[in-house]
Amino acid sequence: MNIPLRQYWNLLAKYLAAQRSRVVLLAVLLLIGITLDIINPQILRYFIDSATTGGASDSLLRAALLFIGVALVQRAMAISATYVGEGVSWNATNGLRADLALHCLRLDMSFHNLHTPGELIERIDGDVTALSNYFSQFVIRVLGNLVLLLGVLVVLYFQDWRIGVGMTAFAGIALLILVRIRWIAVPHWRRVRHISAEFYGFLGESLAGTEDIRSSGATDYMLYRFYELMRRWLPLTVKASVIGGSVMWSSILITFAVGMAVAFALGAWLYHLGAITIGTVYILFFYTEMIRQPIEQILRQLEDLSRASASIGRIRDILAIESKLPVAAQPIDLPRGPLAVDFQNVSFSYAEAEPVLQSVTFHLPAGKVLGVLGRTGSGKTTLARLLLRLYDPQTGEIRLGNPDRSVSIRSAGENDLRQRVGMVTQDVQLFHAGVRDNITFFDERISDETIQQKINQLGLRTRIESMSNGLDTELASGGGGLSAGEAQLLACARLFLRDPGLVILDEASSRLDPATEQLIEQAITQLLTQRTGIVIAHRLKTVQRADSILILDAGRIVEYGDRDVLMRDPASRFYQLLQTGLEEVLA
Ligand code: ATP
Ligand code: MG
């Protein structure tokens, strides 16, 4: 196995540096524990030797008490070490989780289109969790156990040099054999982890799609796939356990049985020669047993490292991905007030696909409303995404501003842009939280009065107060329990609190009941006062408020002009759309 130690060390150093004192404390605790491990058998030897040679019961009692005392301290050290170690590893891994999550959030949408949410959870949490032991214990345990092993061997040399030589040879051979055997099970476990990832991917997908799966009667098929995965999973796990468990552990058992035999033969021989006492024979056994512990621990750590190294590789891969949206070194502030919109020859395609927008050029003056129309898939939502800079167009430029000053959105700060350009999306993302949090986006600085005032202005007050708990009503996960129209109403309130200079409204294409439609109309009117608006319309009502109309077809502008003019021109597409009925054509 090839381990790039330097990279590993850098990772360790970065996340442990902040908690240096705790790491030192952990090291001290572990080392004290190890020292006591070595000392305690010596008390036993004294006890046995005193007992066999008829020592005073007083000193025997003292030795017994001392033995118990040391054992208790040892336990206390082990518990404290676990406590401190958990703290160290959680702090370090949480730091890494936060860095990874932030990094992923900063990456552009093309990254997120390629990676499913489940995969990202697995990479941000799963891989990091696999490192927790590595962060808190690896170095200390491996070093500590090597020290323990050396300590035991040195003590054995002091008992008798022949014992020392015998046991050193034994420990060396055992370590060598076991390290080799240790890797036998690794590929098997890798297969098991692979299928378990597949299983959880499947499970996540099925749970998210429960509604559709049930309504389309696919339950039996999903269960079939569930069982199929289970059927593949079980034999792999059994195989890995059998190989990992039985082969591993039986080889450890055999190796140490041989060790015991060597210790026994040595002990018997030396005792016979009169070189050692019966107490020393005893601790010879005791230490042989003790050699096993550090060897096992070191093996366990190495196995853990082999697992961790896969994760470290994946983490480094993610961190190496750069956003395709370069940030401006010195962001320029967008002007206050309503924003004018300028598209200059903008062409765009999603990753290597057909162009979705082609040579789009239009100018929307500040404070005016543009109605965007077009068949499904014509690129309307994409146009809105470009304005929010979720993607950069391949060619052309988008500028925002007012008559005095206009700024390319590439040179605007990201936060500024998202603050000044607000969008109500086609299917609004609601969170499993109260209505209040869904409106404020969990910003606790916004008082209830402000919220009340704003939703009152939007005309949503009665609707929200009629919910079971008003602002405190909990929404089901994924915004369940609200219709698409109602979700858009909440999103309007969300925007209204932020007071953007440009509002983009991507209307839900689903039909709304008249009451909700009425409310939305009212809310939009409020939202668009004193602001520039782009409404992607699926309904006649919404188009009526537009000053100008833009019709997209397969990513090209096929018509653009004043609504009043187009409406009266029988040759225009808009005129024809109005005749046939917008809803029939666009919905
Ligand atoms: P609708 O009226 O149904 O909302 P739309 O006009 O908003 O349609 P867009 O969502 O802009 O259409 O999509 C335009 C084209 O871009 C479609 O062909 C679609 O398949 C493609 N597209 C949309 N989003 C992505 C994406 N994230 N990755 C790749 N292609 C996409
Ligand atoms: Mg759309």
Side-chain angles (χ1 to χ4, degrees):
M1 201 183 54
N2 192 6
I3 305 176
L5 281 175
R6 181 171 211 90
Q7 290 175 8
Y8 291 9
W9 177 251
N10 290 345
L11 199 68
L12 262 187
K14 179 167 176 204
Y15 288 96
L16 292 183
Q19 26 182 356
R20 198 167 296 138
S21 51
R22 275 213 237 183
V23 176
V24 171
L25 179 63
L26 181 60
V28 169
L29 287 172
L30 287 174
L31 288 178
I32 294 179
I34 289 170
T35 317
L36 293 180
D37 267 344
I38 301 181
I39 290 176
N40 224 5
Q42 295 293 339
I43 305 172
L44 269 186
R45 186 196 59 160
Y46 170 79
F47 184 90
I48 292 174
D49 283 345
S50 305
T52 47
T53 54
S57 61
D58 237 23
S59 58
L60 282 182
L61 186 64
R62 234 175 290 131
L65 286 178
L66 188 63
F67 180 79
I68 294 172
V70 170
L72 283 179
V73 174
Q74 217 178 338
R75 277 293 88 202
M77 288 297 144
I79 292 170
S80 323
T82 309
Y83 178 79
V84 178
E86 284 292 304
V88 168
S89 80
W90 275 100
N91 274 326
T93 48
N94 279 342
L96 183 56
R97 274 189 197 94
D99 282 354
L100 271 174
L102 202 64
H103 178 77
C104 289
L105 285 177
R106 291 221 176 102
L107 289 175
D108 59 306
M109 294 304 295
S110 57
F111 169 81
H112 291 278
N113 288 341
L114 284 180
H115 301 271
T116 64
E119 184 187 340
L120 288 183
I121 293 175
E122 170 64 17
R123 297 193 93 172
I124 292 175
D125 190 59
D127 280 333
V128 175
T129 305
L131 292 189
S132 60
N133 176 64
Y134 171 69
F135 270 124
S136 63
Q137 319 241 310
F138 179 76
V139 176
I140 300 173
R141 284 226 180 259
V142 168
L143 288 182
N145 280 300
L146 277 178
V147 172
L148 174 60
L149 191 59
L150 286 179
V152 170
L153 291 177
V154 169
V155 171
L156 287 175
Y157 272 104
F158 274 101
Q159 307 300 326
D160 188 290
W161 68 269
R162 285 158 291 196
I163 297 180
V165 171
M167 285 333 232
T168 309
F170 165 67
I173 293 168
L175 204 56
L176 239 131
I177 293 177
L178 293 180
V179 164
R180 290 196 166 254
I181 290 176
R182 177 58 62 161
W183 304 116
I184 289 181
V186 171
H188 296 278
W189 281 119
R190 200 167 289 150
R191 252 169 255 149
V192 171
R193 279 196 297 275
H194 186 77
I195 193 164
S196 94
E198 197 179 327
F199 175 75
Y200 284 111
F202 163 77
L203 203 61
E205 212 176 61
S206 349
L207 286 178
T210 306
E211 213 174 294
D212 287 338
I213 291 172
R214 287 205 188 158
S215 61
S216 53
T219 321
D220 287 345
Y221 175 68
M222 291 316 255
L223 275 178
Y224 165 75
R225 279 187 55 195
F226 180 90
Y227 287 129
E228 195 191 42
L229 277 168
M230 288 289 187
R231 245 196 313 274
R232 279 166 49 208
W233 197 352
L234 180 70
L236 285 179
T237 312
V238 170
K239 195 168 169 192
S241 308
V242 168
I243 292 178
S246 50
V247 174
M248 263 301 306
W249 292 111
S250 51
S251 50
I252 287 184
L253 269 179
I254 293 168
T255 313
F256 282 94
V258 172
M260 280 298 180
V262 173
F264 185 74
L266 262 173
W269 176 53
L270 292 170
Y271 182 68
H272 208 70
L273 289 181
I276 54 174
T277 63
I278 190 78
T280 311
V281 174
Y282 173 77
I283 62 164
L284 179 54
F285 279 108
F286 200 98
Y287 281 128
T288 312
E289 196 44 39
M290 261 187 77
I291 289 176
R292 171 187 187 146
Q293 195 194 334
I295 290 182
E296 267 182 39
Q297 286 269 355
I298 291 172
L299 291 177
R300 198 157 283 161
Q301 294 298 325
L302 284 180
E303 188 187 2
D304 197 81
L305 180 66
S306 79
R307 229 178 290 163
S309 56
S311 297
I312 293 178
R314 280 154 60 103
I315 287 172
R316 290 179 51 85
D317 286 349
I318 281 215
L319 287 177
I321 299 175
E322 279 175 24
S323 175
K324 293 208 182 87
L325 302 179
V327 277
Q330 264 157 354
I332 306 172
D333 281 346
L334 292 167
R336 304 288 95 195
L339 293 168
V341 180
D342 236 328
F343 267 64
Q344 294 166 3
N345 202 19
V346 171
S347 296
F348 173 76
S349 65
Y350 292 98
E352 280 146 45
E354 294 279 289
V356 176
L357 290 178
Q358 297 181 53
S359 319
V360 173
T361 303
F362 68 89
H363 174 75
L364 176 65
K368 297 288 183 197
V369 175
L370 173 72
V372 179
L373 302 172
R375 266 185 249 284
T376 179
S378 55
K380 305 180 298 289
T381 302
T382 308
L383 189 112
R385 288 188 186 134
L386 292 186
L387 265 169
L388 280 165
R389 206 170 174 226
L390 295 179
Y391 303 88
D392 270 343
Q394 276 82 15
T395 59
E397 196 178 24
I398 303 171
R399 302 183 77 88
L400 293 174
N402 56 20
D404 308 328
R405 191 159 75 85
S406 94
V407 178
S408 160
I409 60 170
R410 283 184 201 246
S411 28
E414 190 182 77
N415 285 337
D416 190 28
L417 183 69
R418 305 266 154 91
Q419 202 67 36
R420 303 280 297 129
V421 180
M423 166 137 139
V424 176
T425 48
Q426 228 165 350
D427 41 0
V428 173
Q429 181 64 51
L430 292 175
F431 298 96
H432 179 51
V435 170
R436 175 187 296 101
D437 289 333
N438 267 294
I439 293 178
T440 63
F441 252 134
F442 303 90
D443 187 345
E444 282 166 11
R445 290 166 301 179
I446 301 174
S447 69
D448 274 11
E449 286 80 66
T450 319
I451 304 176
Q452 297 286 4
Q453 186 213 334
K454 294 283 183 182
I455 57 178
N456 202 12
Q457 238 176 316
L458 280 181
L460 298 182
R461 185 154 193 175
T462 33
R463 184 63 157 250
I464 286 176
E465 274 168 4
S466 71
M467 291 176 160
S468 55
N469 275 322
L471 280 179
D472 293 313
T473 312
E474 285 284 315
L475 297 182
S477 81
L482 291 186
S483 73
E486 289 167 326
Q488 290 213 317
L489 282 174
L490 283 195
C492 289
R494 230 182 232 177
L495 275 197
F496 208 40
L497 279 172
R498 271 195 0 226
D499 194 20
L502 167 65
V503 170
I504 306 167
L505 197 83
D506 200 349
E507 258 189 340
S509 34
S510 53
R511 283 180 190 283
L512 305 176
D513 63 282
T516 310
E517 190 166 338
Q518 165 97 41
L519 274 179
I520 289 206
E521 282 312 311
Q522 213 176 321
I524 295 175
T525 309
Q526 279 297 323
L527 209 51
L528 291 182
T529 331
Q530 298 290 312
R531 297 191 177 91
T532 314
I534 295 183
V535 282
I536 299 172
H538 288 103
R539 291 170 307 121
L540 205 54
K541 270 272 184 50
T542 333
V543 189
Q544 274 165 3
R545 69 177 73 249
D547 299 296
S548 47
I549 296 289
L550 188 156
I551 301 183
L552 276 178
D553 190 15
R556 288 181 185 279
I557 298 184
V558 288
E559 192 161 285
Y560 174 55
D562 226 36
R563 186 178 62 95
D564 287 337
V565 177
L566 293 177
M567 218 167 75
R568 287 194 214 95
D569 175 6
S572 75
R573 291 193 183 223
F574 186 54
Y575 181 89
Q576 284 153 16
L577 271 181
L578 292 181
Q579 297 306 310
T580 22
L582 209 51
E583 274 91 345
E584 276 65 43
V585 185
L586 300 179

